[in-house]
Structures are given as structure tokens and as C-alpha cells.
Amino acid sequence: MRIVKAILGHMSGRIGGIIVLIYIVLAILGMLGLTPHDPLMQNRIDRLHAPNLTYWMGTDLFGRDVASRLMNGIGESFTVAFLSVAAASLIGTVLGLTAAWSGKRWDGVIMRTMDVLLAFPAILLALLIIAIVGPGTWTSVAAIAIVYTPIFTRVVRGPALSLKGRDFVDAARTFGSSRSYILTRHLLLNLVAPLTVQVTLALAWSLLTEAGLSFLGLGTQPPASSLGLMLSDSRNLMETAPWLLIFPGITIMISILGFNLLGDALRDILDPKMRRSTV
């Protein structure tokens, strides 16, 4: 409750939190099928209708309701983003703790591998992985997780190396505490703050990456809807049906803005060095 109050007391946190909460609600409604219309139902008679009282955001080339497809697409995109970030944070945390604790040999092997992955731009590395494995939703989850694992590894390793030499860790060793106890109780718990901030920011990046992959036809596949896929389908209809491009584009932009604002607020709240007065 204390962190919620702190977020609500932070201007960026309030705005970002409200945006993220709205998107999560829309994603859940879309995944449960509680949409104004069936997002997969094609109605040729109503194709390319502009926004009206029946279809709030218009219809697409096949007469499908854009608002319903957006809700479904938010659910698909958020599923990929949350699963990939969860995997990346878990794997990256384990690798970071292992590199910090195990000494120079494993530290060198792990971190040089992470450096190789970081040398590639995120979207290009994801494209390479998908080109090898094949397109699809779960392939996108795996590719995005691999892309962002090095970031979490570096975020964990640096502070863990510093904490490793602290007096309370030496005291725990002296009293015979096991390695797993020290790693989880003394190191991992002290890394919750930077990990929380990194997870929030990584969600914004993964949403953008997922949209890019779907836009290129390598992410979520039809007939399922995805924000990037909806943008791709609207490319040839920008002049005749601009709403097909505007609504998915604005949806992606606001979602990324919300997570970035929330991450910025969490950084200020959880990191005393970065804390500043809030409105």
C-alpha cells in the first residue's frame, strides 16, 4: 500500500498508473471475449465504415469492428510483453547472480555472452531468432525474452557484486548460511527496487518490439489481432480509411508512454539517489 500511495503522489506515477490500469482492464476484457462485437466476425456489408455509434472506431476491410479488434490486440500484445519480460527477468536475474557470485571464470563467460547479444540491435536480433525458428506468438515471446535477458543480467550483476562484499554478507558466511540463503535473502531482496524499475521499462520496449515484429508479419499471425498486425493491414488504406492506422498507432503510443511514465516514477520513488520532489 505504501508504494501505491507513493505512486499516486507522483505526477508521472499517477498518469502512468492510470494508463497502464486502463490498458490492463481492456486487455483482460479482450482476452475474455467481452468486446462490443466479435473481433473475428466478418461482415462485408459493413466494410470500411467510418467511426459511428454502432462501430465506435469504424470497421476494417472485412467489416470487422476496429474497437473490438483493438481490445483483442491489446490482450495479445500484453500477453507477449508480460511473458517475455517475465522470462527475461527470471533468466537475467539468475545469470546476473551467478556471474557476481561464482568468480572470474563464470563471470567472464556469462558477461561476454551477454555482450555479444547486446551488440545486436534488439529488433535485428529478434528477427534473426524468428527467421531461424519461424514466426508465431510463442516464437515472439522467446525472441523478445532472449533480446532483453542481457539487460536484466547487467542490472543484477553490478549491484550484486557490490553487495557481495558488504559486512552483512560476510557475517552470514561466518554464521554458516548456505549459498542459496545468502543469494535470495541478502542479495536478491536488495535488488527488488532496480529490478522493479527495469521490468516496467522493459514492458514498454517489449510492446514496441512485439508491434514491430507483428507489423513485419513475424509475430502474431492472422486471424488473431495484434496492434502491429493491425497497423500492417492498414498500410494500403491510409487515404481511404485513415482510422485503421490512427487508432492502433495511438494505442501503441499511449501504452508505451504509460509504462515509461510509471517506470520513471518508480525510479524516483525506489532509488534515493534519483528521488526528487514530486507534485
Side-chain angles (χ1 to χ4, degrees):
M1 290 301 295
R2 183 178 300 176
I3 187 66
V4 174
K5 291 181 180 179
I7 291 174
L8 293 177
H10 193 289
M11 179 63 74
S12 295
R14 269 200 309 273
I15 298 174
I18 291 172
I19 292 174
V20 170
L21 181 60
I22 291 173
Y23 271 78
I24 290 176
V25 171
L26 291 175
I28 293 173
L29 292 176
M31 294 174 66
L32 293 176
L34 301 177
T35 56
H37 302 273
D38 186 344
L40 300 179
M41 179 70 70
Q42 298 185 15
N43 189 348
R44 295 282 181 170
I45 299 176
D46 293 332
R47 61 192 299 269
L48 295 180
H49 276 197
N52 54 57
L53 294 178
T54 303
Y55 302 107
W56 304 335
M57 296 183 180
T59 59
D60 63 7
L61 186 62
F62 300 101
R64 296 173 296 189
D65 179 42
V66 173
S68 300
R69 288 183 60 77
L70 270 181
M71 292 175 64
N72 198 13
I74 292 172
E76 291 283 344
S77 297
F78 270 48
T79 298
V80 173
F82 276 91
L83 289 177
S84 59
V85 171
S89 60
L90 177 61
I91 298 171
T93 299
V94 172
L95 291 177
L97 289 175
T98 302
W101 186 266
S102 299
K104 292 184 178 180
R105 177 178 298 179
W106 282 107
D107 184 29
V109 171
I110 292 174
M111 296 315 298
R112 296 299 76 76
T113 304
M114 297 300 104
D115 289 341
V116 171
L117 294 177
L118 284 171
F120 293 90
I123 190 67
L124 290 182
L125 181 57
L127 286 173
L128 175 63
I129 296 170
I130 292 177
I132 296 173
V133 180
T137 300
W138 289 106
T139 305
S140 297
V141 172
I144 296 172
I146 293 172
V147 166
Y148 292 116
T149 292
I151 298 175
F152 284 96
T153 303
R154 294 175 70 91
V155 166
V156 169
R157 174 184 172 270
L161 280 174
S162 176
L163 292 169
K164 180 182 175 182
R166 300 287 293 273
D167 292 339
F168 60 85
V169 175
D170 292 335
R173 287 172 171 170
T174 302
F175 285 110
S177 299
S178 64
R179 178 185 300 181
S180 60
Y181 179 84
I182 296 174
L183 288 175
T184 55
R185 180 65 178 83
H186 294 291
L187 296 187
L188 187 57
L189 284 182
N190 284 286
L191 296 172
V192 170
L195 277 174
T196 301
V197 176
Q198 190 60 49
V199 164
T200 308
L201 297 175
L203 284 170
W205 303 336
S206 61
L207 281 172
L208 186 59
T209 304
E210 190 279 334
L213 293 175
S214 296
F215 181 84
L216 296 173
L218 300 175
T220 302
Q221 299 296 301
S225 57
S226 169
L227 299 178
L229 189 59
M230 293 179 70
L231 277 179
S232 179
D233 292 340
S234 67
R235 284 179 298 174
N236 298 325
L237 299 169
M238 288 188 294
E239 294 184 1
T240 57
W243 59 88
L244 296 178
L245 177 69
I246 293 173
F247 290 120
I250 292 177
T251 301
I252 294 172
M253 180 187 69
I254 295 178
S255 66
I256 295 172
L257 175 65
F259 278 111
N260 279 323
L261 290 175
L262 185 58
D264 183 66
L266 287 172
R267 181 192 60 189
D268 293 341
I269 294 167
L270 297 175
D271 188 351
K273 295 179 181 179
M274 298 296 296
R275 189 173 299 165
R276 60 177 183 266
S277 60
T278 57
V279 180

